[in-house]
Amino acid sequence: MHTCKHCSTPVKSAAEDFCCRGCESVYQLIHDGGLGLFYDLKADDTLAPLRERPFQQKDWSWLLESAISQSDQEVATLNLGLSGMSCMACVWLVETVAKKHNGVIETCADNTQGAFEVTYANKTCDLAALAEELHKLGYELLPKKLGKQAGTTDSLVVRLGICGALAMNTMAFTLPRYNGMETSEELSSLLTTITIASSTFTLVVGGSYFFKRAWSALRLGGIHMDLPISLGLILSYVGSLIGWATGHEDLFYFDFVAIFTFLMLLGKQLQISSLNRANSRFQTDTTIPEFYTTKDGTQVDTEDIPEDSIILIPPGTVVPVQSRLLSDVADLSLAWITGEPSSQLFRHTAAIPAGAVNQSAENIEVQTNLATSADDSISKLLATDSRQANNSNKQAQQKAIQIYLVIIIALGLIAGSAWYFTTKDWVKALQVLISIYVVSCPCGIGLALPLLDTRSSKHAHSFGIFPLTARFWEQLTHIGKVVFDKTGTLTLDKPELVDSAVLLELSQQHQEILFTLTRSSLHPLSRSLFSKLIKTGVTSSSIIGQVSEIPGQGCELTLTDGTMYRLGRPKQAFEGDALHCQLSRNTEIIADFYYAEAARSEAAEAIDQLQKQLKSPCMILSGDASDRVARLANNLHIQEYIGDMLPDDKKQQIEHLEKQQRVLYLGDGVNDLPALQAASLSGAPFANINMLTADVDFLFTDETMSFLPKMVQISRQRRRRKLNLISYTIIYNLTVLAVCTMGLMSPLYAAIIMPVSSLISIAIVSKKFGQ
């Protein structure tokens, strides 16, 4: 398989070094700047494809305004957000580039929170130039940090470090006893005291992580893997205290408590770190901000905007509640609501639905008809609990753990009682009971399953698949049907130019003029042209002139000699011209551009393979017109489809399908959220703008749909490894339980068997994935 030299996502053939012009440009900039160490640090980590992002024009006026409040200081500091960082290589690149910039004194980038702190000299540092330099490398400065990603727990990292040190300390002071080393009574007492203290601190610091989670689940009527882990730790620690108090070293399992706690925390951290890295790849400035600015400059929280408030909607930002337009005119996209790729023109006093996105080049002013509350449509769409695990899967897992606990607890009590009544030796009976609980703890599974998911995800990254939730792989195993949204999911996220030859036939000057006209526009037709220009090699412009945008009409560029170029709707436009625009010079028409919705390349072949792998055929649910849905479904060999659907209609259909089998739903916008969250598993295509990632289980960067059959293959390979792990665990438990029941399991043997078993479990799941 061939991958992009910059981001490591798949490319179609060995002849292609890069997946897009954006990655090619950044790769060249990095090497030209002598920063090739970035790729050594990145290794085989997969980044998000850059596409046309580095070439887009950004307005950094907000950054300069942020610096004004500190303009009287010789040295100032700004705390900002920074999107695009996904690994330590990114942090190194950002900080290295920033520190080379004139006037920058100190920087600190944090990829886990999307934060960037810069200390600079006011008189010599050009902040806008710094922002532009980072932007050309694929990193975008934002007014505030993006926030901690889901699953990030600083406390877990601290616990892991402390418990690792304490576990080594416990083992170090336990080894003399295992080796039979002769010690004085005072030294022996000291070593034992240090061992007990280290084990106790490990239990308090690390074990409490599992105790709290197990107790919270029990209070809610649930059982998960943290419960047997907690019981094993508590019973082995209490038994060890009894042995210490009575002077019976055969009951000392303090080293087990320390090592087991550390290994279980390590398994948790592996899982969380993998998911967090995947989430951080797609950090972006959200289309729905946390607050909006009123006409008088006051900031109000998005959830508490009052009725009749006059608020400003910046370019690319959503209207949060039903409103009335106060600006003269606005170009708005309703793609999140209707699924239509084109935009609509709204005039003064027109009613604007919640969820419309401002595609004008300037802020627009609206007056809210309602307060933002659970009653308005956009809040309903966003209020659904995100990424809830499927109940049937949770119940099956709880039942398995419950059966496991009952068997182990019963076996321990029976074996311990049998030894006591036959030998009258309570120490031996207690040792048998504790040893059963110690060696049967799910250490191997607790460490190996997170590692298996991490390895599965890393392999999936190379095919453009990025799992974002802990439940992704387990749920994928049980999926019987895949349901697609149409626009932006099965089709590209912007209309495709019908005839690329029209663009190629333009002179270089006209191509650069088009580049200048489209590089800062949010209109879907402009974005499509801009993307096509980038792919054909037009990545910069020497044209000097003023660009202005007239909502509903297009963009105009006036050159220094007075010549005016215009890209927009034809003067005599009619309803069928929604996907048609013209480039003109003064009154002369230079070129006509026609667009059409385009299915993702290779989608038909990929869906054919997918339908052979699954129990049920694929299906399309779309808000688009039924005849257009039918045409696309026919082209992609999909027999089941429904058009003209509202978000709640999609949700109801998914809920109906879920009664028969588990469903994977693929969608791309807020209008798909109810269906995404009703399905057992959900996914969305990655896009560089207006992409919300908090409500799906995975993202895909592959612009073809060829990742789908590959995802199923990886899932099946993972399932085989999991079954092998479970088989080994059963054999291991039967063997060691027999040894324990016969009274032959000493603390020394338990201390050896546990890590050896963990290593074997890790070896089982570490087998290389096939292509």
Side-chain angles (χ1 to χ4, degrees):
M1 184 186 60
H2 308 287
T3 59
C4 175
K5 283 187 173 182
H6 174 70
C7 69
S8 300
T9 55
V11 294
K12 292 181 181 179
S13 69
E16 298 181 44
D17 290 330
F18 302 96
C19 65
C20 61
R21 288 283 184 177
C23 286
E24 182 179 5
S25 170
V26 170
Y27 182 87
Q28 192 64 47
L29 283 175
I30 288 174
H31 281 285
D32 288 348
L35 302 169
L37 179 61
F38 168 79
Y39 294 103
D40 294 329
L41 295 173
K42 184 182 84 72
D44 55 353
D45 276 352
T46 308
L47 311 178
L50 293 171
R51 297 174 186 162
E52 66 267 18
R53 183 174 175 178
F55 309 109
Q56 292 171 330
Q57 187 172 23
K58 293 292 179 179
D59 180 6
W60 304 114
S61 57
W62 65 265
L63 178 60
L64 300 179
E65 290 172 5
S66 300
I68 288 176
S69 61
Q70 305 181 72
S71 58
D72 58 335
Q73 301 176 25
E74 185 175 343
V75 176
T77 299
L78 284 177
N79 291 297
L80 305 167
L82 186 66
S83 69
M85 292 189 295
S86 62
C87 59
M88 290 309 298
C90 292
V91 172
W92 175 84
L93 180 62
V94 165
E95 292 191 345
T96 301
V97 168
K99 286 174 183 175
K100 287 183 177 181
H101 195 80
N102 188 35
V104 172
I105 299 170
E106 189 66 44
T107 64
C108 180
D110 182 353
N111 66 308
T112 62
Q113 300 195 50
F116 181 70
E117 181 182 290
V118 56
T119 302
Y120 60 97
N122 249 317
K123 293 182 179 179
T124 57
C125 184
D126 186 343
L127 288 174
L130 172 61
E132 189 62 31
E133 189 173 359
L134 293 175
H135 176 65
K136 287 179 179 178
L137 292 171
Y139 306 101
E140 183 178 348
L141 283 178
L142 304 169
K144 59 184 295 187
K145 70 179 183 180
L146 294 163
K148 200 178 294 292
Q149 293 297 301
T152 301
T153 51
D154 292 339
S155 64
L156 182 57
V157 177
V158 174
R159 290 173 196 260
L160 182 63
I162 293 173
C163 290
L166 290 172
M168 287 189 289
N169 204 44
T170 305
M171 287 301 297
F173 288 101
T174 305
L175 282 174
R177 186 174 74 249
Y178 286 154
N179 292 334
M181 185 183 298
E182 293 186 8
T183 57
S184 65
E185 187 175 337
E186 290 183 0
L187 180 58
S188 177
S189 176
L190 176 63
L191 293 177
T192 301
T193 302
I194 294 173
T195 299
I196 295 172
S198 298
S199 178
T200 302
F201 281 123
T202 305
L203 190 72
V204 171
V205 174
S208 59
Y209 174 84
F210 300 102
F211 302 157
K212 290 177 183 177
R213 289 163 58 91
W215 177 244
S216 297
L218 285 172
R219 289 181 61 188
L220 296 172
I223 298 174
H224 57 65
M225 188 60 73
D226 289 334
L227 183 58
I229 291 173
S230 299
L231 288 176
L233 286 171
I234 291 170
L235 290 172
S236 56
Y237 181 75
V238 171
S240 300
L241 285 180
I242 294 172
W244 172 63
T246 58
H248 293 90
E249 292 190 0
D250 286 350
L251 298 178
F252 278 23
Y253 288 93
F254 292 114
D255 51 340
F256 165 83
V257 172
I259 295 296
F260 182 64
T261 302
F262 171 71
L263 289 177
M264 292 301 95
L265 286 174
L266 180 61
K268 285 288 183 185
Q269 182 59 29
L270 277 173
Q271 186 178 47
I272 289 175
S273 296
S274 175
L275 295 174
N276 192 52
R277 283 194 298 270
N279 276 281
S280 65
R281 284 176 174 85
F282 304 100
Q283 290 176 330
T284 183
D285 196 14
T286 178
T287 302
I288 304 179
E290 294 181 13
F291 56 83
Y292 284 79
T293 304
T294 62
K295 186 178 181 180
D296 61 6
T298 305
Q299 291 184 340
V300 291
D301 288 341
T302 301
E303 296 179 356
D304 299 316
I305 300 175
E307 182 181 352
D308 294 327
S309 298
I310 298 177
I311 58 175
L312 302 178
I313 310 295
T317 303
V318 74
V319 178
V321 65
Q322 294 178 22
S323 305
R324 181 170 62 91
L325 182 64
L326 298 184
S327 300
D328 292 335
V329 66
D331 198 359
L332 305 178
S333 168
L334 303 184
W336 274 10
I337 304 168
T338 65
E340 293 286 343
S342 58
S343 61
Q344 293 186 25
L345 186 67
F346 289 75
R347 299 192 181 277
H348 182 63
T349 72
I352 302 175
V357 177
N358 178 21
Q359 293 196 318
S360 306
E362 305 292 338
N363 292 347
I364 61 171
E365 202 173 89
V366 302
Q367 183 173 18
T368 60
N369 294 337
L370 301 169
T372 50
S373 67
D375 295 330
D376 67 86
S377 55
I378 195 69
S379 293
K380 284 181 181 178
L381 289 171
L382 295 175
T384 316
D385 292 336
S386 62
R387 300 178 181 175
Q388 293 300 312
N390 179 274
N391 287 334
S392 59
N393 184 59
K394 189 182 291 185
Q395 290 169 1
Q397 184 186 56
Q398 290 179 0
K399 188 174 182 180
I401 296 173
Q402 191 173 13
I403 293 172
Y404 168 83
L405 285 174
V406 169
I407 292 173
I408 295 301
I409 291 174
L411 182 61
L413 291 173
I414 292 170
S417 299
W419 270 92
Y420 178 73
F421 287 116
T422 55
T423 65
K424 302 301 180 181
D425 184 348
W426 71 267
V427 175
K428 189 65 176 179
L430 186 58
Q431 189 216 347
V432 169
L433 184 144
I434 294 174
S435 66
I436 287 175
Y437 295 151
V438 165
V439 298
S440 63
C441 272
C443 181
I445 287 183
L447 184 61
L449 279 182
L451 178 61
L452 176 59
D453 287 347
T454 299
R455 288 182 57 80
S456 301
S457 296
K458 189 174 182 62
H459 185 59
H461 293 171
S462 61
F463 297 98
I465 307 162
F466 294 86
L468 303 176
T469 61
R471 70 187 186 126
F472 171 78
W473 289 109
E474 199 59 41
Q475 289 289 77
L476 182 58
T477 303
H478 304 288
I479 293 300
K481 190 179 190 71
V482 175
V483 179
F484 301 94
D485 171 49
K486 172 182 164 287
T487 307
T489 305
L490 284 174
T491 64
L492 297 173
D493 63 335
K494 47 188 176 288
E496 189 78 355
L497 192 61
V498 173
D499 186 4
S500 299
V502 177
L503 193 62
L504 297 173
E505 290 168 0
L506 294 176
S507 66
Q508 182 179 344
Q509 182 190 26
H510 286 159
Q511 287 180 343
E512 290 188 14
I513 284 170
L514 262 182
F515 182 90
T516 305
L517 283 164
T518 57
R519 67 182 301 187
S520 60
S521 177
L522 294 174
H523 194 282
L525 302 190
S526 292
R527 286 178 52 223
S528 180
L529 265 181
F530 183 72
S531 180
K532 185 64 70 174
L533 284 166
I534 297 299
K535 289 178 181 177
T536 58
V538 183
T539 59
S540 62
S541 173
S542 59
I543 303 298
I544 300 174
Q546 181 67 36
V547 177
S548 59
E549 185 170 337
I550 304 171
Q553 298 298 317
C555 300
E556 293 181 351
L557 168 64
T558 304
L559 303 184
T560 52
D561 63 1
T563 304
M564 188 185 75
Y565 285 89
R566 177 181 176 275
L567 176 68
R569 299 186 69 190
K571 294 291 185 182
Q572 303 298 323
F574 56 90
E575 190 157 344
D577 276 341
L579 298 179
H580 172 208
C581 65
Q582 286 180 340
L583 174 65
S584 60
R585 178 178 54 206
N586 297 327
T587 58
E588 175 193 359
I589 297 173
I590 297 174
D592 282 279
F593 302 104
Y594 293 91
Y595 304 80
E597 278 190 311
R600 293 179 182 268
S601 62
E602 303 177 25
E605 181 182 347
I607 290 172
D608 283 344
Q609 292 181 44
L610 181 66
Q611 294 190 123
K612 293 175 183 176
Q613 293 173 322
L614 300 179
K615 299 175 184 177
S616 299
C618 296
M619 186 178 192
I620 299 176
L621 299 180
S622 176
D624 208 347
S626 294
D627 57 336
R628 294 168 66 177
V629 177
R631 283 197 298 271
L632 181 67
N634 184 60
N635 291 337
L636 297 179
H637 312 151
I638 297 176
Q639 302 300 316
E640 299 179 12
Y641 55 87
I642 306 175
D644 295 309
M645 302 193 80
L646 297 173
D648 281 343
D649 297 332
K650 293 183 178 183
K651 178 184 177 182
Q652 291 172 13
Q653 183 65 34
I654 293 296
E655 288 174 342
H656 172 71
L657 294 171
E658 282 281 342
K659 294 176 182 178
Q660 305 162 34
Q661 61 198 317
R662 298 192 195 178
V663 175
L664 163 60
Y665 184 84
L666 298 178
D668 74 317
V670 173
N671 61 316
D672 292 306
L673 273 178
L676 286 166
Q677 294 165 343
S680 292
L681 200 65
S682 59
F686 167 71
N688 274 330
I689 66 171
N690 298 341
M691 184 64 225
L692 301 179
T693 65
D695 300 280
V696 292
D697 294 294
F698 75 101
L699 293 176
F700 58 90
T701 58
D702 185 2
E703 290 206 344
T704 73
M705 302 300 283
S706 58
F707 74 91
L708 282 169
K710 180 56 66 176
M711 186 168 70
V712 174
Q713 290 176 20
I714 297 172
S715 172
R716 290 177 177 175
Q717 291 184 54
R718 175 194 172 274
R719 185 171 182 271
R720 285 194 292 271
R721 284 164 175 71
K722 181 183 175 182
L723 290 176
N724 291 339
L725 175 65
I726 292 173
S727 298
Y728 163 74
T729 303
I730 292 172
I731 295 171
Y732 159 79
N733 273 302
L734 290 174
T735 304
V736 296
L737 286 174
V739 174
C740 291
T741 304
M742 290 186 290
L744 302 176
M745 185 63 69
S746 68
L748 173 60
Y749 294 159
I752 295 171
I753 287 173
M754 185 188 61
V756 169
S757 172
S758 298
L759 290 174
I760 294 173
S761 298
I762 289 171
I764 290 172
V765 301
S766 296
K767 184 180 177 182
K768 187 177 180 181
F769 281 86
Q771 296 296 320

